[in-house]
Amino acid sequence: RKEVEQDPGPFNVPEGATVAFNCTYSNSASQSFFWYRQDCRKEPKLLMSVYSSGNEDGRFTAQLNRASQYISLLIRDSKLSDSATYLCVVRYSSASKIIFGSGTRLSIRP
Amino acid sequence: NAGVMQNPRHLVRRRGQEARLRCSPMKGHSHVYWYRQLPEEGLKFMVYLQKENIIDESGMPKERFSAEFPKEGPSILRIQQVVRGDSAAYFCASSPDWGVLDEQYFGPGTRLTVT
């Protein structure tokens, strides 16, 4: 079983739709969680950290469920510019490696 | 404040040659991470370094690969005797010495092609 698993997609949704991704992790000792976005042939960029209480940044909402060991990302009112690959990232502790999921591809159509 | 810099951006090597990839972290960052991304695949952690120290190299292949982050100068990822399977994008990221260690800032990557 992979340490961090994501549905690879692609998710193909119309502009303005709401879309949600889930990501599961296997190590219950994981401490830090993030969503990154990666455009084609570009470097990943931090989208948002994921806190236990859940957090929102504009159209983006991230949730963490420690009991079920998954994190989610919700994008409301999707824009064409949201088309990218979304990477789920888990870290066990500040002195350890970071595990990236393989990414979920999102394509927003006009 | 310049971002994370990597050079070269593109590198072509013949099988058996050596590849040297350089990464200059953001100013004030002394934590550096190297990742490899194969075509159509996710990022794979390779190594985590602080100045002059390797903290975690659990993702590094046992042979031919090495990394360093000297007191002065950029971090170097060195691949000896490259093979076709080493062709990939290699990304470097850095994180600050203070505040949230976890947030990483990525460089633009070096695309290595082995012919």
Side-chain angles (χ1 to χ4, degrees):
Chain A
R1 187 188 168 187
K2 287 184 183 175
E3 290 178 278
V4 176
E5 289 204 68
Q6 293 185 249
D7 182 341
F11 285 64
N12 189 335
V13 302
E15 202 173 359
T18 295
V19 61
F21 315 131
N22 277 347
C23 162
T24 57
Y25 60 95
S26 60
N27 190 327
S28 59
S30 300
Q31 291 190 5
S32 306
F33 309 90
F34 310 88
W35 284 102
Y36 279 73
R37 101 171 241 166
Q38 187 175 25
D39 293 290
C40 189
R41 300 186 67 78
K42 299 275 190 171
E43 71 272 24
K45 291 191 175 163
L46 178 66
L47 182 64
M48 56 199 306
S49 302
V50 187
Y51 304 121
S52 297
S53 54
N55 46 304
E56 190 174 309
D57 183 1
R59 298 182 292 109
F60 298 83
T61 301
Q63 299 265 333
L64 167 63
N65 185 319
R66 282 192 186 272
S68 301
Q69 293 182 208
Y70 77 82
I71 67 174
S72 63
L73 177 68
L74 180 79
I75 306 175
R76 287 182 300 278
D77 187 24
S78 52
K79 313 286 183 198
L80 294 174
S81 58
D82 294 333
S83 297
T85 296
Y86 289 82
L87 306 169
C88 169
V89 180
V90 172
R91 189 168 196 174
Y92 299 157
S93 72
S94 61
S96 75
K97 64 183 180 184
I98 294 105
I99 312 292
F100 277 76
S102 297
T104 298
R105 229 181 262 181
L106 173 65
S107 179
I108 308 296
R109 62 179 188 268
Chain B
N1 188 4
V4 178
M5 297 171 64
Q6 288 187 251
N7 66 80
R9 294 289 304 274
H10 299 274
L11 182 61
V12 179
R13 283 287 178 265
R14 290 202 189 100
R15 275 180 298 171
Q17 290 184 318
E18 179 179 286
R20 276 185 180 239
L21 287 62
R22 284 176 290 278
C23 168
S24 297
M26 286 178 72
K27 191 176 180 182
H29 290 193
S30 66
H31 303 265
V32 165
Y33 311 80
W34 284 95
Y35 297 87
R36 176 164 64 176
Q37 187 170 36
L38 295 168
E40 305 300 321
E41 291 192 16
L43 279 150
K44 293 286 190 283
F45 168 83
M46 299 181 77
V47 62
Y48 165 26
L49 309 106
Q50 276 183 278
K51 281 286 185 183
E52 300 185 274
N53 290 308
I54 295 175
I55 307 301
D56 184 341
E57 57 181 344
S58 56
M60 287 280 268
K62 294 283 185 283
E63 295 173 352
R64 302 188 297 109
F65 285 71
S66 62
E68 62 176 8
F69 189 14
K71 191 175 178 182
E72 301 291 338
S75 175
I76 307 284
L77 179 68
R78 186 176 171 217
I79 311 172
Q80 294 178 291
Q81 298 173 335
V82 296
V83 300
R84 288 239 172 93
D86 295 334
S87 295
Y90 292 83
F91 289 99
C92 161
S94 71
S95 62
D97 301 327
W98 45 269
V100 182
L101 267 182
D102 297 331
E103 292 189 2
Q104 297 186 18
Y105 300 83
F106 280 80
T110 293
R111 278 176 173 73
L112 173 65
T113 301
V114 179
T115 61

